[in-house]
Amino acid sequence: MPEIKERPILFSGPMVRVILEGRKTVTRRVVKPLQQPELMDDGSWFAVAQSHRRYGFGVSGPDAQSCANALAASQCCPYGKPCDRLWVRETFIDLLGTGVEHRPDPDGPLQRYAYAADYRPGSHSDEARKDFGLKHRPSIHMPRAASRILLEITDVRVERLQDITDDQAEAEGCFFTDYGQQCFHGGTGWKDVGDCPAQAGHQQRNGWAWDKTTSHEQCLLTPRFAFANLWNATGGDWDANLWVWAITFRRVEQ
């Protein structure tokens, strides 16, 4: 039976929330520059699968996608292979020694760790955190014992970023919203936004988004374009259209 490994993986607050809600089942991560498939002089495509000085090897194919498929099949993905597991690192607080008690469930036990994804900036819970002088710790510093989310990899592919489909964008956590379609301006009762003279003041619009929107321009016509917004918002470059690892997963019990 092949060895099952566990590796850490970083997720932002919005992505943690959609994983907990069961709406995110895939993540895309950029293939390292050295491993990016590239066109060779003879018209074939080549990618470095393993760059170890003694055990390194490459893969090739007659076209770009064949090479990408061979790269995925080589099981050199730094996040693991099918059946391996990923424990999620997220922004958190270690309450040990702070004197603050944390009980997410009123009837549940006290918890040592609190998680930033459970309360948005500016919320009552976030203001209470500041009142107690508690500071978040970056996700990169989360120990394994503090992780509350464990994922099992079910599939690994290599593809161009812009090849993502609408269905895959939904699996990434993008969702349809009708935020802002009704308002209460003037105190006369609910009415359609289109009838409201202050329509420009509505921050949220009907369309596709990846998190709670702050501008109508963030709600787009398709899930794919909403994912492009997500990619750019997390420091990526959608227009570069790099090769990415598309890692499908399911949540499992710790």
Side-chain angles (χ1 to χ4, degrees):
M1 182 175 180
E3 180 185 4
I4 296 177
K5 296 182 178 180
E6 281 192 4
R7 296 175 176 84
I9 188 170
L10 300 176
F11 278 105
S12 65
M15 295 300 98
V16 168
R17 286 192 286 273
V18 294
I19 289 175
L20 292 174
E21 293 169 5
R23 294 191 293 106
K24 183 174 178 67
T25 57
V26 64
T27 185
R28 281 164 171 74
R29 307 293 167 115
V30 174
V31 174
K32 292 179 180 179
L34 184 64
Q35 292 183 302
Q36 290 275 324
E38 58 180 331
L39 181 63
M40 308 304 289
D41 292 339
D42 63 359
S44 65
W45 285 75
F46 175 83
V48 174
Q50 175 58 263
S51 59
H52 192 282
R53 62 182 181 178
R54 294 179 62 185
Y55 308 110
F57 67 96
V59 295
S60 60
D63 54 63
Q65 192 56 57
S66 296
C67 180
N69 294 343
L71 183 62
S74 71
Q75 296 189 343
C76 68
C77 175
Y79 299 96
K81 60 185 183 300
C83 294
D84 284 350
R85 294 183 171 186
L86 301 168
W87 57 273
V88 173
R89 278 178 159 163
E90 57 180 301
T91 304
F92 73 110
I93 301 173
D94 187 348
L95 297 172
L96 185 65
T98 65
V100 176
E101 294 186 348
H102 178 56
R103 197 188 307 268
D105 184 345
D107 299 321
L110 291 174
Q111 299 291 325
R112 173 176 172 176
Y113 302 100
Y115 304 93
D118 292 343
Y119 46 88
R120 296 176 182 271
S123 65
H124 175 75
S125 297
D126 191 43
E127 293 304 316
R129 172 188 65 82
K130 296 176 183 177
D131 291 341
F132 281 105
L134 301 175
K135 294 184 178 180
H136 290 135
R137 295 185 63 184
S139 55
I140 191 66
H141 297 311
M142 171 176 275
R144 175 67 180 89
S147 178
R148 58 175 171 168
I149 302 174
L150 185 63
L151 309 172
E152 181 182 285
I153 298 175
T154 59
D155 185 51
V156 176
R157 305 185 310 280
V158 176
E159 60 186 38
R160 288 281 193 184
L161 176 64
Q162 293 183 11
D163 287 344
I164 187 172
T165 63
D166 283 340
D167 287 343
Q168 278 286 293
E170 286 191 65
E172 283 274 5
C174 296
F175 63 96
F176 185 82
T177 171
D178 58 359
Y179 293 156
Q181 290 305 288
Q182 292 182 322
C183 74
F184 202 67
H185 278 139
T188 57
W190 293 103
K191 57 184 177 181
D192 189 87
V193 164
D195 299 327
C196 180
Q199 182 174 354
H202 289 278
Q203 291 185 316
Q204 298 178 333
R205 287 289 187 276
N206 183 48
W208 289 88
W210 61 273
D211 193 22
K212 185 177 181 181
T213 59
T214 57
S215 167
H216 68 278
E217 295 178 350
Q218 293 174 356
C219 279
L220 301 175
L221 294 177
T222 68
R224 184 172 175 273
F225 289 146
F227 176 76
N229 266 2
L230 166 61
W231 190 263
N232 288 334
T234 53
D237 184 356
W238 171 259
D239 293 331
N241 197 24
L242 296 173
W243 293 93
V244 295
W245 299 104
I247 305 162
T248 304
F249 55 81
R250 68 181 184 91
R251 189 179 175 193
V252 296
E253 292 297 323
Q254 293 275 19

